[in-house]
Amino acid sequence: MSRTISIILMCIVLVIGIGLGAQLFLPPTPPDKSDVHYPSYKQMMINLKAMTVVPHPSGSKELESVRAYLLEQIRAMGLKATIDKVTYTVDDVKADLIERKGAPDFKNMPPINGVSAEEGFMNTIREKAHFDKNDKLVLQNILVKMDAPKTDRGILLMAHYDSEPETPGAADDMLSVVAMLEAIRKHAGNPSLKSDIYFLFTDGEEVGTLGAKSFVQSHPELLNKIDLVFNFEARGSRGPLLMFETSDRNLDAVNYLQSASSRPLSSSFLTALYHQMPNDTDLTRFLKAGYSGLNFAAAQGAENYGRETDTIENLDLGTAYHYLLTALEVVDHASQVPFKEGRKQDSLFFSLSPSYLMIMSNSTSYILSLVAVVLAIWWMILQIRQGSFRLRTMMTGTGWLLGVMVGAALLSWGIVAGVTQVMQLGESTNNDNAFFSIFFLMSICTLIAGIIRARKLSLREALAGFLPLHLLLIVGCLVLFQEISYLFSLSTLGILAVALLDRYKIGRWIASVVVGTTIVFLYMPVCWLIYVLLMLPFTPVSVAISVIPISIVSALFITKDTLVLKSCE
């Protein structure tokens, strides 16, 4: 096959792989008037507009108005809400914060504008909420329970209804609140529930998740009655709803989500990455108390997070619908299918489509990794014995790949530094245009470098350069970051499949198309999630990782075995 056709086919594979990966991160289209969910969606948006007129931090009169509106909606459904009140002082909040985050070294911190470091710390706490003149704050959690007639076990859905002092909190977190309201409305008075369903609206999340803390402490009896907690949060105002955190031993919980939701977008890589971050949510209090749970949030549009721009006007309507759809489907499913946790083991999972999660137990993922490692070592030893390439070839190829990764990361780091200064972008920014421009530029550079190198090698020589790095990554992930081991195990098995079909021209080309597309598709969400979760400054990390699949695709299509050799021309 000519070099031109090979390059065209390679580009098609890259476009399809990237396109399929990008489809995962598109929120659903909002319903039209003919859709069964349109009435709920319309009412949700009406409620959201009414409850996000102004900021409403804990302890404020504005939050009292939001609470009154929320309670009136619940009463209009013929339901009764329970209000749990708890009082915290500034000292209580300080003690809790130090317990969770550690005590600052106040003695060695200089005063600012004549205010000591410790007093400044206390003032920062006061700014998060409206404490009264005695430095006290009354938090009010709202609980609605739907009783199933033949059981005392069920699930709990949770969102917080307070906001940061500067923001109306349309995404964080009133969107979750109004989505839960519509789930309540749909099942109010449902006589055929198979599970108890609890709806908890917490206060004080922005003051250190204190509302959730008090609820867990005040209701120890619920630990043996609530089988699974769903917490709805937000870290941005657009993009799909991601399930970004799970409790330990999550296999049954993730399978339950798969059964309940038509768009269960998540990845065990995402949940592992989140666990490395210092963030807390209301679910953190429940997980520490021993509950099983799942955490959801939209993560794009972080430039609006906690700011005055977190308004209904800046909220993506598809994102809003994804919240509603998930809340409705979770309650629909729970109303008929109780959650039962039997296989208490961790899982590895990733999205194969917007509607399907690939889920496997940890033990299965270990077996997959072991098979990939054994087959890769067997193939490399066999090829060296047959004289297909030398050990030096493998080392040279691996060194080249690492060099390109480092070079791409450094170059993109320089570009990011320049772009953020010119465009005056902060570190907590999801600027998609900047990210895609940098990513596209570096991908082209990587592709050109891969083509130049691959055309001088045979397929086996080129692929041999990728396997040592993949083996190191598999072993490293099994020890340190098992949740992403699938990426390197499946890529390794795909590389070996193409290599074994090298002598069969048609089989090799078919395998190259399938494997190349799959590898790009698997890598794309990982690169995207790193950027979304860690913001624009971490673009170099995404770029470095993207070098691997682009280089592999170059090897699959541009190595000299795929070209017409001079002797045959």
Side-chain angles (χ1 to χ4, degrees):
M1 188 174 293
S2 71
R3 181 178 300 172
T4 301
I5 295 177
S6 298
I7 292 176
I8 292 174
L9 191 58
M10 177 190 65
C11 292
I12 291 174
V13 166
L14 289 172
V15 169
I16 293 176
I18 293 173
L20 290 175
Q23 287 296 312
L24 298 176
F25 300 100
L26 296 177
T29 303
D32 56 30
K33 293 183 178 179
S34 63
D35 194 290
V36 65
H37 291 136
Y38 181 77
S40 296
Y41 175 77
K42 181 179 179 181
Q43 184 61 50
M44 180 184 76
M45 299 307 291
I46 290 173
N47 289 338
L48 183 61
K49 184 176 183 179
M51 289 195 282
T52 57
V53 177
V54 292
H56 45 277
S58 295
S60 66
K61 292 182 179 179
E62 291 78 11
L63 187 63
E64 290 181 11
S65 298
V66 170
R67 182 164 47 247
Y69 187 97
L70 182 57
L71 291 171
E72 178 56 36
Q73 290 289 313
I74 294 170
R75 281 193 291 267
M77 301 175 203
L79 299 173
K80 183 179 180 180
T82 301
I83 298 178
D84 284 352
K85 295 184 180 181
V86 62
T87 301
Y88 285 96
T89 66
V90 171
D91 288 330
D92 293 332
V93 180
K94 174 187 173 184
D96 179 81
L97 186 59
I98 290 175
E99 180 184 348
R100 290 184 294 116
K101 305 294 185 180
D105 187 8
F106 293 122
K107 292 182 179 180
N108 294 319
M109 298 171 66
I112 300 177
N113 297 326
V115 178
S116 69
E118 187 168 5
E119 185 59 28
F121 183 76
M122 301 291 278
N123 289 337
T124 300
I125 292 174
R126 293 185 182 98
E127 291 170 0
K128 286 286 186 178
H130 286 207
F131 290 83
D132 64 20
K133 60 182 180 180
N134 297 315
D135 265 351
K136 292 183 178 181
L137 174 67
V138 178
L139 303 180
Q140 300 187 47
N141 295 322
I142 300 172
L143 178 67
V144 177
K145 180 185 178 184
M146 293 182 177
D147 275 311
K150 297 181 180 180
T151 183
D152 63 349
R153 306 186 68 86
I155 69 165
L156 181 144
L157 282 75
M158 175 171 54
H160 68 89
Y161 70 101
D162 62 311
S163 76
E164 292 269 12
E166 300 84 11
T167 175
D172 181 28
D173 193 26
M174 296 311 297
L175 176 57
S176 303
V177 169
V178 295
M180 282 170 50
L181 268 179
E182 295 315 302
I184 295 174
R185 194 186 313 278
K186 182 175 181 180
H187 288 274
N190 184 349
S192 59
L193 293 177
K194 300 294 191 299
S195 302
D196 290 340
I197 304 177
Y198 299 80
F199 298 88
L200 176 62
F201 304 92
T202 63
D203 189 359
E205 194 274 348
E206 304 291 3
V207 200
T209 66
L210 294 179
K213 175 184 178 180
S214 69
F215 183 84
V216 169
Q217 292 177 341
S218 301
H219 298 279
E221 76 283 356
L222 293 181
L223 180 59
N224 295 319
K225 294 183 178 181
I226 295 175
D227 296 312
L228 190 61
V229 178
F230 293 82
N231 183 54
F232 293 91
E233 260 287 357
R235 193 166 172 267
S237 56
R238 53 187 168 84
L241 184 63
L242 300 169
M243 193 279 283
F244 68 93
E245 182 185 18
T246 72
S247 51
D248 293 333
R249 297 184 295 183
N250 56 27
L251 179 60
D252 290 318
V254 176
N255 276 313
Y256 193 76
L257 173 64
Q258 169 86 295
S259 301
S261 175
S262 62
R263 299 181 72 93
L265 183 59
S266 187
S267 167
S268 52
F269 161 72
L270 173 61
T271 62
L273 188 61
Y274 177 77
H275 286 156
Q276 305 303 313
M277 301 174 70
N279 307 65
D280 288 335
T281 68
D282 279 341
L283 185 65
T284 305
R285 302 290 187 173
F286 281 79
L287 298 185
K288 288 182 177 179
Y291 288 84
S292 295
L294 303 172
N295 222 346
F296 299 81
Q300 293 175 244
E303 60 272 12
N304 296 318
Y305 178 63
R307 300 181 181 178
E308 64 276 4
T309 54
D310 185 10
T311 63
I312 190 171
E313 290 77 17
N314 289 326
L315 180 65
D316 183 88
L317 299 183
T319 301
Y321 180 50
H322 202 176
Y323 273 79
L324 173 65
L325 187 64
T326 303
L328 291 176
E329 290 178 341
V330 164
V331 177
D332 286 347
H333 189 70
S335 69
Q336 297 302 313
V337 182
F339 173 70
K340 295 181 179 179
E341 192 172 38
R343 295 170 293 172
K344 293 189 175 182
Q345 54 182 305
D346 281 317
S347 64
L348 183 151
F349 51 92
F350 55 94
S351 292
L352 280 180
S353 74
S355 60
Y356 185 75
L357 281 174
M358 180 66 188
I359 307 169
M360 65 183 80
S361 66
N362 262 17
S363 56
T364 301
S365 70
Y366 280 117
I367 294 173
L368 178 67
S369 296
L370 180 62
V371 169
V373 169
V374 170
L375 289 179
I377 293 175
W378 168 79
W379 183 81
M380 289 188 294
I381 293 175
L382 181 64
Q383 297 306 309
I384 291 174
R385 287 181 174 178
Q386 292 178 349
S388 298
F389 52 77
R390 296 180 179 180
L391 184 60
R392 187 195 312 176
T393 304
M394 294 170 49
M395 297 300 101
T396 301
T398 302
W400 178 87
L401 180 60
L402 290 173
V404 174
M405 292 175 68
V406 171
L410 291 175
L411 182 56
S412 60
W413 174 80
I415 297 173
V416 169
V419 168
T420 51
Q421 287 188 355
V422 171
M423 299 180 66
Q424 296 182 339
L425 299 175
E427 290 190 358
S428 58
T429 300
N430 288 142
N431 190 299
D432 294 346
N433 291 332
F435 173 77
F436 282 127
S437 298
I438 296 169
F439 199 85
F440 178 75
L441 174 62
M442 298 311 304
S443 296
I444 293 297
C445 293
T446 300
L447 193 58
I448 292 173
I451 291 173
I452 292 174
R453 182 176 188 276
R455 65 181 181 176
K456 301 176 183 179
L457 304 172
S458 69
L459 177 67
R460 297 181 185 185
E461 288 174 329
L463 295 183
F466 299 113
L467 290 177
L469 178 60
H470 273 79
L471 291 179
L472 289 175
L473 290 171
I474 292 172
V475 174
C477 286
L478 291 178
V479 175
L480 302 173
F481 208 43
Q482 188 269 341
E483 293 85 354
I484 197 177
S485 61
Y486 73 89
L487 180 62
F488 310 114
S489 299
L490 293 176
S491 296
T492 299
L493 292 174
I495 289 173
L496 293 175
V498 178
L500 292 173
L501 291 170
D502 187 21
R503 67 181 64 185
Y504 308 105
K505 189 172 183 180
I506 299 300
R508 173 191 162 172
W509 280 104
I510 294 174
S512 294
V513 171
V514 174
V515 169
T517 302
T518 301
I519 289 177
V520 173
F521 169 75
L522 291 175
Y523 269 86
M524 194 273 178
V526 172
C527 297
W528 176 248
L529 288 171
I530 290 174
Y531 156 68
V532 168
L533 207 60
L534 301 177
M535 312 296 179
L536 191 62
F538 279 80
T539 298
V541 179
S542 296
V543 168
I545 293 174
S546 72
V547 167
I548 300 175
I550 293 173
S551 299
I552 291 174
V553 171
S554 300
L556 294 180
F557 291 95
I558 310 300
T559 44
K560 64 184 180 183
D561 287 354
T562 68
L563 305 176
V564 178
L565 301 178
K566 289 183 178 180
S567 60
C568 300
E569 291 178 346

PDB file of all heavy atoms in Angstrom, residues 242-254:
ATOM      1  N   LEU A 242     -20.388  13.912  35.737  1.00  0.00           N
ATOM      2  CA  LEU A 242     -19.415  12.848  35.939  1.00  0.00           C
ATOM      3  C   LEU A 242     -19.600  12.211  37.304  1.00  0.00           C
ATOM      4  O   LEU A 242     -19.795  12.917  38.299  1.00  0.00           O
ATOM      5  CB  LEU A 242     -17.997  13.395  35.847  1.00  0.00           C
ATOM      6  CG  LEU A 242     -17.569  14.047  34.540  1.00  0.00           C
ATOM      7  CD1 LEU A 242     -16.238  14.766  34.725  1.00  0.00           C
ATOM      8  CD2 LEU A 242     -17.468  13.025  33.425  1.00  0.00           C
ATOM      9  N   MET A 243     -19.526  10.896  37.368  1.00  0.00           N
ATOM     10  CA  MET A 243     -19.424  10.242  38.666  1.00  0.00           C
ATOM     11  C   MET A 243     -17.932  10.195  38.978  1.00  0.00           C
ATOM     12  O   MET A 243     -17.175   9.449  38.372  1.00  0.00           O
ATOM     13  CB  MET A 243     -20.027   8.842  38.617  1.00  0.00           C
ATOM     14  CG  MET A 243     -20.233   8.218  40.010  1.00  0.00           C
ATOM     15  SD  MET A 243     -18.734   7.502  40.697  1.00  0.00           S
ATOM     16  CE  MET A 243     -18.640   5.974  39.751  1.00  0.00           C
ATOM     17  N   PHE A 244     -17.494  11.029  39.945  1.00  0.00           N
ATOM     18  CA  PHE A 244     -16.069  11.253  40.120  1.00  0.00           C
ATOM     19  C   PHE A 244     -15.503  10.673  41.410  1.00  0.00           C
ATOM     20  O   PHE A 244     -14.288  10.746  41.636  1.00  0.00           O
ATOM     21  CB  PHE A 244     -15.768  12.762  40.082  1.00  0.00           C
ATOM     22  CG  PHE A 244     -16.317  13.539  41.254  1.00  0.00           C
ATOM     23  CD1 PHE A 244     -15.536  13.774  42.378  1.00  0.00           C
ATOM     24  CD2 PHE A 244     -17.607  14.029  41.227  1.00  0.00           C
ATOM     25  CE1 PHE A 244     -16.034  14.485  43.453  1.00  0.00           C
ATOM     26  CE2 PHE A 244     -18.111  14.742  42.300  1.00  0.00           C
ATOM     27  CZ  PHE A 244     -17.325  14.968  43.419  1.00  0.00           C
ATOM     28  N   GLU A 245     -16.331  10.081  42.258  1.00  0.00           N
ATOM     29  CA  GLU A 245     -15.828   9.504  43.498  1.00  0.00           C
ATOM     30  C   GLU A 245     -16.715   8.354  43.933  1.00  0.00           C
ATOM     31  O   GLU A 245     -17.943   8.413  43.771  1.00  0.00           O
ATOM     32  CB  GLU A 245     -15.787  10.559  44.605  1.00  0.00           C
ATOM     33  CG  GLU A 245     -15.214  10.039  45.927  1.00  0.00           C
ATOM     34  CD  GLU A 245     -15.281  11.045  47.063  1.00  0.00           C
ATOM     35  OE1 GLU A 245     -16.067  12.021  46.961  1.00  0.00           O
ATOM     36  OE2 GLU A 245     -14.560  10.870  48.057  1.00  0.00           O
ATOM     37  N   THR A 246     -16.106   7.335  44.482  1.00  0.00           N
ATOM     38  CA  THR A 246     -16.853   6.215  45.042  1.00  0.00           C
ATOM     39  C   THR A 246     -16.292   5.871  46.420  1.00  0.00           C
ATOM     40  O   THR A 246     -15.171   6.247  46.762  1.00  0.00           O
ATOM     41  CB  THR A 246     -16.747   4.945  44.169  1.00  0.00           C
ATOM     42  OG1 THR A 246     -15.428   4.399  44.294  1.00  0.00           O
ATOM     43  CG2 THR A 246     -17.029   5.241  42.712  1.00  0.00           C
ATOM     44  N   SER A 247     -17.077   5.145  47.159  1.00  0.00           N
ATOM     45  CA  SER A 247     -16.583   4.568  48.407  1.00  0.00           C
ATOM     46  C   SER A 247     -15.691   3.373  48.068  1.00  0.00           C
ATOM     47  O   SER A 247     -15.601   2.937  46.918  1.00  0.00           O
ATOM     48  CB  SER A 247     -17.754   4.124  49.283  1.00  0.00           C
ATOM     49  OG  SER A 247     -18.650   3.313  48.542  1.00  0.00           O
ATOM     50  N   ASP A 248     -15.017   2.846  49.070  1.00  0.00           N
ATOM     51  CA  ASP A 248     -14.208   1.651  48.869  1.00  0.00           C
ATOM     52  C   ASP A 248     -15.111   0.448  48.589  1.00  0.00           C
ATOM     53  O   ASP A 248     -16.299   0.464  48.893  1.00  0.00           O
ATOM     54  CB  ASP A 248     -13.351   1.367  50.106  1.00  0.00           C
ATOM     55  CG  ASP A 248     -12.294   2.438  50.328  1.00  0.00           C
ATOM     56  OD1 ASP A 248     -11.880   3.058  49.337  1.00  0.00           O
ATOM     57  OD2 ASP A 248     -11.904   2.655  51.491  1.00  0.00           O
ATOM     58  N   ARG A 249     -14.501  -0.587  47.985  1.00  0.00           N
ATOM     59  CA  ARG A 249     -15.235  -1.824  47.658  1.00  0.00           C
ATOM     60  C   ARG A 249     -16.508  -1.485  46.879  1.00  0.00           C
ATOM     61  O   ARG A 249     -17.622  -1.777  47.276  1.00  0.00           O
ATOM     62  CB  ARG A 249     -15.543  -2.611  48.930  1.00  0.00           C
ATOM     63  CG  ARG A 249     -14.268  -3.075  49.647  1.00  0.00           C
ATOM     64  CD  ARG A 249     -14.539  -3.930  50.857  1.00  0.00           C
ATOM     65  NE  ARG A 249     -15.222  -3.194  51.925  1.00  0.00           N
ATOM     66  CZ  ARG A 249     -15.516  -3.695  53.106  1.00  0.00           C
ATOM     67  NH1 ARG A 249     -15.202  -4.949  53.387  1.00  0.00           N
ATOM     68  NH2 ARG A 249     -16.127  -2.970  54.022  1.00  0.00           N
ATOM     69  N   ASN A 250     -16.302  -0.879  45.723  1.00  0.00           N
ATOM     70  CA  ASN A 250     -17.382  -0.208  45.002  1.00  0.00           C
ATOM     71  C   ASN A 250     -17.992  -1.004  43.857  1.00  0.00           C
ATOM     72  O   ASN A 250     -18.787  -0.460  43.089  1.00  0.00           O
ATOM     73  CB  ASN A 250     -16.867   1.116  44.448  1.00  0.00           C
ATOM     74  CG  ASN A 250     -15.628   0.932  43.562  1.00  0.00           C
ATOM     75  OD1 ASN A 250     -15.429  -0.120  42.961  1.00  0.00           O
ATOM     76  ND2 ASN A 250     -14.790   1.948  43.497  1.00  0.00           N
ATOM     77  N   LEU A 251     -17.644  -2.274  43.703  1.00  0.00           N
ATOM     78  CA  LEU A 251     -18.108  -3.029  42.541  1.00  0.00           C
ATOM     79  C   LEU A 251     -19.624  -3.036  42.425  1.00  0.00           C
ATOM     80  O   LEU A 251     -20.182  -2.770  41.355  1.00  0.00           O
ATOM     81  CB  LEU A 251     -17.571  -4.463  42.610  1.00  0.00           C
ATOM     82  CG  LEU A 251     -17.994  -5.399  41.466  1.00  0.00           C
ATOM     83  CD1 LEU A 251     -17.522  -4.862  40.128  1.00  0.00           C
ATOM     84  CD2 LEU A 251     -17.451  -6.807  41.693  1.00  0.00           C
ATOM     85  N   ASP A 252     -20.313  -3.322  43.513  1.00  0.00           N
ATOM     86  CA  ASP A 252     -21.779  -3.374  43.454  1.00  0.00           C
ATOM     87  C   ASP A 252     -22.379  -1.994  43.229  1.00  0.00           C
ATOM     88  O   ASP A 252     -23.385  -1.854  42.527  1.00  0.00           O
ATOM     89  CB  ASP A 252     -22.324  -3.986  44.747  1.00  0.00           C
ATOM     90  CG  ASP A 252     -22.022  -5.478  44.858  1.00  0.00           C
ATOM     91  OD1 ASP A 252     -22.151  -6.185  43.848  1.00  0.00           O
ATOM     92  OD2 ASP A 252     -21.645  -5.934  45.949  1.00  0.00           O
ATOM     93  N   ALA A 253     -21.792  -0.975  43.832  1.00  0.00           N
ATOM     94  CA  ALA A 253     -22.304   0.380  43.666  1.00  0.00           C
ATOM     95  C   ALA A 253     -22.192   0.848  42.219  1.00  0.00           C
ATOM     96  O   ALA A 253     -23.124   1.447  41.663  1.00  0.00           O
ATOM     97  CB  ALA A 253     -21.566   1.342  44.593  1.00  0.00           C
ATOM     98  N   VAL A 254     -21.059   0.568  41.581  1.00  0.00           N
ATOM     99  CA  VAL A 254     -20.873   0.977  40.187  1.00  0.00           C
ATOM    100  C   VAL A 254     -21.802   0.188  39.268  1.00  0.00           C
ATOM    101  O   VAL A 254     -22.372   0.734  38.314  1.00  0.00           O
ATOM    102  CB  VAL A 254     -19.398   0.811  39.769  1.00  0.00           C
ATOM    103  CG1 VAL A 254     -19.214   1.135  38.294  1.00  0.00           C
ATOM    104  CG2 VAL A 254     -18.503   1.704  40.621  1.00  0.00           C
TER     105      VAL A 254
END
